[in-house]
Amino acid sequence: MNKIFNRKLVYGLYITALCTLFVSLVVLSDKPQKVTLESPSGALDILSKISLPVMEEKDTIIGRPYNNEEVTVVQNYYDYRGEENEQTASIIFYQDTYIQSNGISYSMNNEAFDVVAILDGEVIEVSEDTLLGNTIKIKHSESVVSVYQSVNDIKVSVGDTVTKGMLIATSSTSNINSALNNHLYFELLIDDINVNPEEYYDKSL
């Protein structure tokens, strides 16, 4: 009888301990938890239970790589899914060579306009090129890079940190697309692939 009683007591204590542990986990999961480098296994357990946003709202791409409403598109991104007439208008012709436009060209009636960063990031390249026009390249994350080509009066240098909407240059000209006169040629790369910038404005990455 004592053995049976002891077994029931042990079993009861075991069940009570399990319930207590379960309740503790539920309570802890609803409270902010501090993770330190001293408990990596605990950090992994907590992170596995938390859903983190890829980017915060402040990291949403701004409307355009410029801040003047008079700026318009003068040559679109070449989209293989587009209509034939749209694709034809997105071809750059230079010295008997046809080149698909991997970006979008903007102009303001051939007048210079301010060029701004589309997102917070780090300047990773500033180059002068008479053919393509001066170029600024900004890295915004491991997968997102923006390229501002055919610019002048450059305000940034390699290694500089820029903020969303910050003035980085003014529009200018390039020899490869001289027919557009003063303009900005803008490219957006996601995972090293050129995409149509117009499809990403005002959207969270």
Side-chain angles (χ1 to χ4, degrees), residues 131-174:
L131 176 62
L132 302 176
N134 300 332
T135 301
I136 300 172
K137 186 179 292 187
I138 300 176
K139 183 176 182 179
H140 305 288
S141 70
E142 289 302 318
S143 60
V144 182
V145 173
S146 60
V147 181
Y148 311 76
Q149 201 172 89
S150 182
V151 296
N152 198 14
D153 193 21
I154 297 174
K155 312 291 186 183
V156 294
S157 302
V158 173
D160 285 354
T161 298
V162 300
T163 55
K164 186 169 55 178
M166 177 178 168
L167 175 65
I168 59 174
T170 57
S171 61
S172 187
T173 60
S174 68

Side-chain angles (χ1 to χ4, degrees), residues 32-43:
Q33 301 182 42
K34 182 178 181 180
V35 180
T36 66
L37 295 178
E38 298 168 351
S39 57
S41 59

